[in-house]
Every structure is written in structure tokens, then in C-alpha cells.
Amino acid sequence: MKVTSLVALALLGTLCSAGIAAAAEPYVVELDVVLSKNKGKKPKGGVVKIEIHPDWAPVGAARFKEIVELGIWDWGRFFRVVPDFIVQWGIPGDASVAKEWKNKRIPDDPVVETNARGSITFATSGANSRTSQVFINFKDNASLDKQGFAPFGRVIEGMDIVDQIYAGYGGDPDQGKIQEKGNQYLRKEFPKLSYIRQAKVASLLPSMTGEDTEGEGEDSEGGGEEKDE
């Protein structure tokens, strides 16, 4: 009886270990990015592929996957772009969703990898304050490592697209107003912002059609729908 129990426990341990290992496997997320659009023309942009490494920052990687699978970044703007430093996004374009996610904090991960060019990291406002905002490093920013910013993935394709994200507004968009009004505020005050048309785990991302369906006719507090004409 005792031997059988030991065998069962050993088998359970093996299965658990296998499950953890499988969960920690890297995966790829694709961002369908619109850099700019002009009426009557096909939007300019492309796909950015990000390889996520749960072993680098398991809590952050799990939150990132949750966000992508829920689709809360679709139509979300890159609202803070600091040349030669970082590009930041993550406040949902739908104000009601932004309100819901504002205080969904997760605990910090230890810093395992450095903030190298192309790495992706959650933004924070202090200890254990990560929610839905992330940034990609434009250059090697090792100084962020000591500040507790833990990368959980890296761009493996499309860094040229990241480098072209519209930077003309710098950090001017007010994050409080984005939280309150979402894309209604950004479309009106910062119309040239680049944005994410869709974020999906790679195997779920459909090919780009070159046609936008986020409507511009009427603003609402939500992300709305826009359509390129």
C-alpha cells in the first residue's frame, strides 16, 4: 500500500512538472500595427512578432497572454513614444474596459533578463503595480534593470515597424484622460498616433486584409470602430 502511494505520488509529481514545463514554453504574439493612415489609401503598417518567455518573468508573461486573449488592446494607441528610449501602450481604447483594468495589479517578477533593444516589459508606478501597460525598448536600457523592470519577451520580427511608430506627440497624451475617455480623446487630440489593429497569439492571428474597420463616423467612450475610406 505504501509502495503504491509512493508510486502514485511520484507519477503525480512527474505530471505536474511536465505541466509546468509545458506552460513555461515560449510562444509568439503578433501585433497588427497601423503606423499611419490616409483617407482613400491603404493603411501603412505591418506585423510585429514578439516571442514571450514565461521563464524570464512568469507573472508578467501570464498577464500578457491574458490581455492578448481578451482582445483589450485592439485599436489601442501607442500613447507614449520617447525616441531612443521606449514606446509604451496598454491602456484599452474602450474607456469602460480601461476603468476595469486600471487597478488589476499583479505582483512583481524578479529581473532575470536585461532591458535590451527590442525587449518588452511592463510599465510600473511602483512596487507590485503592473496592470496592462507595457513598453518595448528602442535601445539597450540596462539602467531599467536595477529599477525592477522585468522583461518577459523580445521582438523577433518587425522591429523596423516598431522604430516607425509615430513619435510626434512624445509623451503629451494625458494618461488620466485616456483612462477616462479612451480613444474618443486620442482620436480628437492626437489623430496621428499609431495603433494596434489586433493582437493575437500567432496561431490565431488572421492575415492582414489591409482594410480598417474601426469607425470614425461617431465618437463614443468606447474604442468604437474605425473605417478607412
Side-chain angles (χ1 to χ4, degrees):
M1 192 73 171
K2 188 177 294 186
V3 173
T4 303
S5 299
L6 288 172
V7 170
L9 286 171
L11 179 59
L12 180 61
T14 300
L15 291 173
C16 288
S17 297
I20 292 171
E25 286 296 314
Y27 62 93
V28 175
V29 163
E30 294 183 356
L31 306 181
D32 181 352
V33 174
V34 175
L35 295 171
S36 63
K37 60 180 185 176
N38 295 296
K39 192 172 182 178
K41 295 183 179 181
K42 181 179 177 179
K44 179 184 177 183
V47 173
V48 176
K49 295 184 179 181
I50 305 173
E51 186 175 68
I52 306 304
H53 290 265
D55 55 325
W56 293 2
V59 179
R63 169 52 61 89
F64 184 78
K65 191 170 187 180
E66 177 187 9
I67 288 170
V68 170
E69 290 180 338
L70 288 173
I72 70 168
W73 282 345
D74 295 356
W75 312 113
R77 269 56 179 173
F78 296 97
F79 59 81
R80 181 175 177 234
V81 186
V82 184
D84 204 34
F85 184 43
I86 59 102
V87 53
Q88 184 172 332
W89 77 94
I91 300 177
D94 184 325
S96 63
V97 178
K99 182 179 180 181
E100 177 186 348
W101 278 81
K102 184 178 180 180
N103 295 310
K104 282 192 172 184
R105 297 184 176 90
I106 56 173
D108 292 336
D109 283 299
V111 179
V112 174
E113 294 291 323
T114 187
N115 281 270
R117 169 172 164 79
S119 60
I120 183 169
T121 308
F122 270 92
T124 73
S125 57
N128 303 311
S129 63
R130 298 180 298 174
T131 55
S132 64
Q133 295 188 46
V134 298
F135 62 85
I136 291 175
N137 289 287
F138 280 133
K139 69 167 189 174
D140 292 345
N141 290 315
S143 62
L144 296 177
D145 302 349
K146 294 179 181 180
Q147 298 177 46
F149 292 95
F152 58 89
R154 61 187 180 89
V155 175
I156 58 171
E157 187 176 316
M159 194 62 197
D160 58 320
I161 300 295
V162 176
D163 288 334
Q164 295 177 69
I165 289 172
Y166 186 77
Y169 301 124
D172 290 347
D174 186 300
Q175 292 190 33
K177 289 184 179 179
I178 303 173
Q179 295 279 1
E180 180 184 355
K181 299 182 177 180
N183 282 348
Q184 178 187 13
Y185 160 68
L186 293 175
R187 285 201 298 261
K188 181 179 179 181
E189 301 294 335
F190 306 95
K192 294 183 179 180
L193 286 176
S194 302
Y195 60 90
I196 296 171
R197 180 159 44 189
Q198 189 176 44
K200 291 288 184 181
V201 173
S203 59
L204 303 179
L205 185 70
S207 59
M208 291 179 63
T209 63
E211 188 173 329
D212 227 326
T213 56
E214 191 187 8
E216 294 175 333
E218 184 177 342
D219 281 328
S220 67
E221 287 199 350
E225 290 190 352
E226 292 181 2
K227 184 177 181 181
D228 288 322
E229 300 177 358

